[in-house]
Amino acid sequence: MTRRARPLEPERAPRLDLLTLLGPAPVDALWEAEKAGWRAFVMGHGGSGYRRGSARHEAWQRGFEAAAASHDPVGLML
């Protein structure tokens, strides 16, 4: 005789909220600034809009310099 699995009762079933899973992820401001620096290099803009010395300005500068050092900045643009 084979045993059949019983379905979980609603209160014990794992609750998956699809909207939560598919919703927007938290924004990482430093990553966005780094991407903006890369895009600025590709588009030919040379100045950051962030306050000098701020973490976002440094992230922008990292992205700009990484694009400048890249062999194919347009092809690798995020």
Side-chain angles (χ1 to χ4, degrees):
M1 179 172 185
T2 60
R3 290 182 57 144
R4 296 175 64 194
R6 292 184 305 186
L8 291 174
E9 292 84 32
E11 64 273 359
R12 293 186 54 196
R15 184 163 185 258
L16 295 177
D17 187 4
L18 189 58
L19 293 178
T20 302
L21 293 173
L22 297 177
V27 176
D28 183 357
L30 295 179
W31 173 242
E32 294 299 325
E34 196 166 331
K35 288 192 307 186
W38 187 288
R39 284 192 301 268
F41 178 82
V42 169
M43 300 296 180
H45 303 290
S48 165
Y50 300 109
R51 183 176 39 86
R52 290 207 181 272
S54 70
R56 288 183 184 181
H57 177 76
E58 292 173 7
W60 184 94
Q61 194 66 39
R62 277 193 310 272
F64 190 88
E65 291 170 359
S70 174
H71 68 281
D72 183 18
V74 175
L76 297 173
M77 188 164 63
L78 302 175

